[in-house]
Amino acid sequence: MRRIYVSLLLISIFSGLLVAWQWRSHQATAAQTNQDPGLIDIIHSLEKEDASLENRIADLRQQIDSLQKQHSQGTDHLARIQQEIDNLRLSAGLAAVTGPGITVILDDNNAGAEAAQKSSPATYKPDDFIIHDKNVLYMVSDLKAAGAEAIAVNGQRIVANSDIRCVGTVIMVNSTRLAPPYLIQAIGNPDKLEAAALRSLDFVDLKSRDFPVKVVKNDSLNLPAYKGGFPLDHTRPLQGGGQ
């Protein structure tokens, strides 16, 4: 019984951290739209707290996983359940993974922007020379369609509820601010993934406009586990064991 209480305690702490992490992520995103220097300092502070909470969540997940494995030892039925849990964690992106794949590098066209600003300052548009959230999002979608088994963007693991969006001039993935160059790493068949990336419409367009983008094959990639939470705004546990 004592082990059960320990497990429940860890799960309760874990749930509380998830709520705190989601609230602070929302606050940081809201502040991002304001250019007040004081709010920028708050954003940086909250981002550090977010990173700390994410690491704590990852630690708690490991502790819970360890407890589950301890309880399943020596029991065939529980061992099978534990194996199923491990497979689900792998599919959900909650486990670090390794394997062959590719790295797609998307970077801003700084040289083109500088040349355009000098030659045509009246018609110069900065947005025409930077990587946008849609460029990253479409590449991730194309790699998924090509059979990618795991994807990360600048170290942020892509899972079912990951968001890739612009907030002002910044691209955010999993509520984390990222800066160019954007390294989109995908594990899977390197040949198939490379072919899909090179024929991606966004990649072809960026290449035609002299953006410094490229695709690199990798014999081995190490992608981290997803550290964030899984917000449930509308889902509730079914009471009474109904069908």
Side-chain angles (χ1 to χ4, degrees), residues 11 25 36 60 98 106 143 169 172 183 229 242:
I11 292 171
S25 294
D36 185 278
L60 288 173
T98 185
L106 304 181
L143 293 175
T169 58
M172 299 188 72
L183 275 60

Side-chain angles (χ1 to χ4, degrees), residues 17-219:
L17 286 172
L18 286 181
V19 172
W21 176 81
Q22 291 164 10
W23 181 83
R24 292 194 181 278
S25 294
H26 173 75
Q27 293 294 98
T29 300
Q32 179 75 25
T33 59
N34 195 306
Q35 298 301 314
D36 185 278
L39 290 179
I40 292 175
D41 290 339
I42 292 174
I43 291 172
H44 292 159
S45 175
L46 290 177
E47 286 178 339
K48 289 181 180 179
E49 291 186 38
D50 283 347
S52 177
L53 286 172
E54 285 181 348
N55 290 331
R56 182 58 178 155
I57 289 171
D59 290 340
L60 288 173
R61 281 176 175 157
Q62 289 180 354
Q63 292 178 36
I64 292 172
D65 184 50
S66 178
L67 283 171
Q68 290 172 335
K69 288 180 177 178
Q70 288 177 18
H71 293 165
S72 66
Q73 289 178 355
T75 306
D76 291 342
H77 177 63
L78 291 180
R80 287 195 297 271
I81 293 177
Q82 183 59 47
Q83 183 60 52
E84 184 177 351
I85 291 174
D86 290 342
N87 292 337
L88 291 173
R89 284 171 53 83
L90 188 64
S91 299
L94 297 178
V97 292
T98 185
I102 67 168
T103 299
V104 180
I105 302 171
L106 304 181
D107 201 357
D108 294 344
N109 187 1
N110 295 320
E114 184 177 351
Q117 192 171 16
K118 289 180 179 179
S119 62
S120 307
T123 59
Y124 168 68
K125 296 180 180 179
D127 283 355
D128 292 340
F129 299 92
I130 64 173
I131 297 295
H132 294 274
D133 56 341
K134 70 180 183 68
N135 302 127
V136 177
L137 178 60
Y138 293 164
M139 178 57 69
V140 167
S141 297
D142 288 338
L143 293 175
K144 285 182 179 179
E149 299 172 6
I151 300 175
V153 180
N154 285 23
Q156 287 294 319
R157 185 72 175 273
I158 301 299
V159 296
N161 67 309
S162 291
D163 57 338
I164 301 174
R165 58 196 174 89
C166 274
V167 177
T169 58
V170 175
I171 293 180
M172 299 188 72
V173 178
N174 295 338
S175 298
T176 297
R177 295 195 305 167
L178 303 183
Y182 302 101
L183 275 60
I184 306 172
Q185 297 177 305
I187 289 178
N189 184 305
D191 294 330
K192 290 183 178 179
L193 294 178
E194 180 188 43
L198 291 175
R199 67 170 177 263
S200 170
L201 295 179
D202 260 47
F203 186 88
V204 171
D205 175 63
L206 291 171
K207 194 76 173 176
S208 70
R209 292 191 285 132
D210 295 325
F211 274 73
V213 297
K214 60 181 179 179
V215 180
V216 179
K217 283 186 180 181
N218 303 108
D219 294 330

